[in-house]
Amino acid sequence: MVDTIDPTTIDPATIDVADPELYESGDPVALWAHLRATSPVHWNNHPPGPGFWAVMSYRPALEVYRNTDAFTSELGMRIDSDPAAVEAAAGKMLIVTDPPTHPRLRQLMNSAFLPRVVSTLEASMRRVIEPLVDEALRNDVVDFVSEIAAVLPAAIICDIMDVPQSERAMMIDLTSKAFGASVGGEAKCPMGTMEKTEAHAEIFLYYTELVEQRRRAPGSDVVSALIQGDLGGRRLTDEEVLLNCDGLLTGANETTRHASAAGLLALIQNPGEWHRLRGGEVSIESAVDEVLRYTSPALHVLRVAKKDVEVGGRLVRAGEAVAIWNSSVNRDETVFPDPDRFDLGRDQNRHLTFGIGPHFCLGAPLARVELKVLLQVLAEKVTHLELAGPVERLRSNFMWGIERLPVVLR
């Protein structure tokens, strides 16, 4: 565990930054800083697999993100992915496609995530968040993750997919179960893992029915856009539509949920920043960007080299995997002064939480507005934040998140 060792004594050849134990039980920040200083691009052994190149600093990360000629996304975008699942989705699901399919598919989906479209959802977001915060204010202790942070993105994705009002409560409940807590993984919580799997299956079945409905009666939602769109002279198959609906649901829930919870914890731990936010001393836009940088929910993004290429002065051979460790990149001292400080007024916050280049996160405008509305409502209604129990972190090498966050809001 990172919090029981001195990172300066670690040989990069012996540490696995993809060990989920580091993120459930440890504090990886000091380790990342040590690796940036000593091995910003290094080979990371990750048994039982072949390992990967770990990119820990900002400039080499840009090299990988922008070089779509040398790197592919179609062999998976995360460590420990199921190879069969990746093969089934490659070239069909947005996050695991390369040109020429990727820009065409992205254009079909983009209409639902344009900033001007997302801004129209602000009123809906407020209608979701305000009663949740009001209820929390009436209670002694609430789990901020399950009772607030997880509900907002699930409700808004229902708006984007135009799920009928009569079915939204069911879908929000299923989504909360699918992405909810089963701390410690299957070995520690097999029933929780089973419930999540069953909820995912029910969601997939629901989307199958939704696709059939939209084929008969299309609307202006993103599902209809996928069904009616032209992808290089053909329509998308049902499988392609369903894969991308699943991708949208996953992306929408994971990023906002974990950034919201970790952002609230940072505000509790840094009460001066909470007072700056409530007092209007920092802009809401600046606050959102700092929450995104500081929390960096997606720990890494994977690429595979299509040919021999140099990254940060290291030779990456064709076929080798490269993992951009976003959470470390966003604390690079050469780009972010005093990077471990939570500063809601931070200038020139060029974080890579959403990536950069052709695969820049499609849902970034949506996540920004969701966090904006959440922070605004909290600042308007809450004067006092207090931690009310132990924080339980996600056991994962992909999402740097919080599973349970007991708090008191007054």
Side-chain angles (χ1 to χ4, degrees):
M1 297 191 314
V2 175
D3 58 350
T4 61
I5 59 178
D6 178 359
T8 61
T9 66
I10 295 172
D11 178 354
T14 67
I15 191 71
D16 181 8
V17 296
D19 180 357
E21 178 73 11
L22 298 177
Y23 307 103
E24 182 192 23
S25 304
D27 177 7
V29 174
L31 173 64
W32 295 335
H34 177 65
L35 292 175
R36 287 194 302 273
T38 59
S39 302
V41 180
H42 68 275
W43 183 256
N44 186 101
N45 292 307
H46 182 59
F52 57 90
W53 289 98
V55 177
M56 310 301 293
S57 58
Y58 194 91
R59 286 173 179 81
L62 293 182
E63 294 175 23
V64 179
Y65 270 126
R66 289 171 170 165
N67 194 348
T68 55
D69 290 333
F71 293 99
T72 178
S73 298
E74 293 197 358
L75 295 176
M77 51 81 66
R78 58 178 290 183
I79 298 161
D80 297 334
S81 293
D82 178 355
V86 172
E87 184 178 3
K92 303 171 186 175
M93 190 177 186
L94 183 67
I95 57 174
V96 284
T97 59
D98 291 335
T101 302
H102 179 267
R104 293 169 180 166
L105 186 55
R106 186 181 179 97
Q107 186 175 14
L108 292 183
M109 301 170 70
N110 194 50
S111 59
F113 296 94
L114 294 172
R116 68 173 182 274
V117 176
V118 171
S119 66
T120 65
L121 295 171
E122 280 196 49
S124 179
M125 293 177 192
R126 274 195 166 266
R127 285 194 295 271
V128 173
I129 283 293
E130 287 184 340
L132 296 176
V133 173
D134 288 340
E135 180 65 19
L137 290 168
R138 289 191 288 268
N139 295 332
D140 291 333
V141 178
V142 295
D143 172 25
F144 188 80
V145 177
S146 64
E147 297 180 49
I148 296 179
V151 179
L152 175 61
I156 298 306
I157 204 68
C158 284
D159 277 347
I160 291 172
M161 294 187 175
D162 196 20
V163 172
Q165 288 292 338
S166 61
E167 298 168 357
R168 292 194 179 195
M170 174 196 71
M171 286 301 294
I172 291 170
D173 179 62
L174 283 174
T175 304
S176 295
K177 290 177 180 176
F179 294 95
S182 58
V183 178
E186 186 174 353
K188 294 183 183 179
C189 189
M191 292 305 294
T193 301
M194 186 183 302
E195 183 181 50
K196 292 174 74 169
T197 301
E198 291 174 352
H200 274 290
E202 288 189 54
I203 290 170
F204 201 80
L205 288 172
Y206 177 82
Y207 282 150
T208 301
E209 296 173 0
L210 192 65
V211 168
E212 292 176 358
Q213 294 172 12
R214 294 294 190 272
R215 286 203 184 279
R216 295 193 300 268
S220 57
D221 57 285
V222 69
V223 181
S224 298
L226 286 167
I227 289 170
Q228 295 179 297
D230 181 279
L231 190 67
R234 68 173 181 84
R235 301 291 192 194
L236 270 70
T237 65
D238 282 3
E239 179 190 22
E240 289 169 322
V241 175
L242 287 168
L243 283 169
N244 284 288
C245 285
D246 185 64
L248 286 175
L249 179 70
T250 301
N253 277 280
E254 297 284 28
T255 300
T256 302
R257 177 164 66 101
H258 292 305
S260 298
L264 187 82
L265 179 60
L267 288 169
I268 292 172
Q269 295 171 333
N270 298 270
E273 295 305 295
W274 171 239
H275 294 308
R276 291 177 74 198
L277 178 64
R278 291 199 66 242
E281 298 174 37
V282 295
S283 73
I284 194 69
E285 290 77 16
S286 173
V288 166
D289 267 319
E290 181 65 348
V291 167
L292 288 166
R293 180 198 72 87
Y294 192 81
T295 66
S296 293
L299 281 163
H300 73 267
V301 171
L302 193 72
R303 298 286 187 268
V304 176
K306 295 188 286 186
K307 58 185 179 181
D308 290 358
V309 60
E310 189 174 286
V311 176
R314 305 298 297 271
L315 178 61
V316 177
R317 299 288 187 182
E320 291 180 334
V322 178
I324 304 166
W325 224 256
N326 287 324
S327 46
S328 174
V329 167
N330 280 344
R331 292 178 184 244
D332 189 328
E333 299 81 354
T334 67
V335 179
F336 307 98
D338 198 4
D340 296 334
R341 181 165 64 92
F342 185 57
D343 177 8
L344 295 184
R346 186 177 294 274
D347 290 329
Q348 298 182 340
N349 198 338
R350 296 173 291 158
H351 63 80
L352 298 183
T353 299
F354 296 120
I356 198 169
H359 276 274
F360 182 80
C361 179
L362 183 71
L366 181 65
R368 287 183 185 280
V369 177
E370 287 177 338
L371 286 170
K372 170 188 169 183
V373 172
L374 176 61
L375 290 176
Q376 285 176 330
V377 172
L378 288 171
E380 291 165 7
K381 292 178 173 286
V382 181
T383 58
H384 177 72
L385 306 170
E386 181 182 332
L387 194 60
V391 177
E392 296 182 5
R393 296 187 178 275
L394 185 66
R395 183 182 180 84
S396 171
N397 62 18
F398 182 57
M399 297 303 299
W400 193 26
I402 295 173
E403 288 281 40
R404 292 187 177 92
L405 181 64
V407 297
V408 174
L409 306 182
R410 302 198 189 286

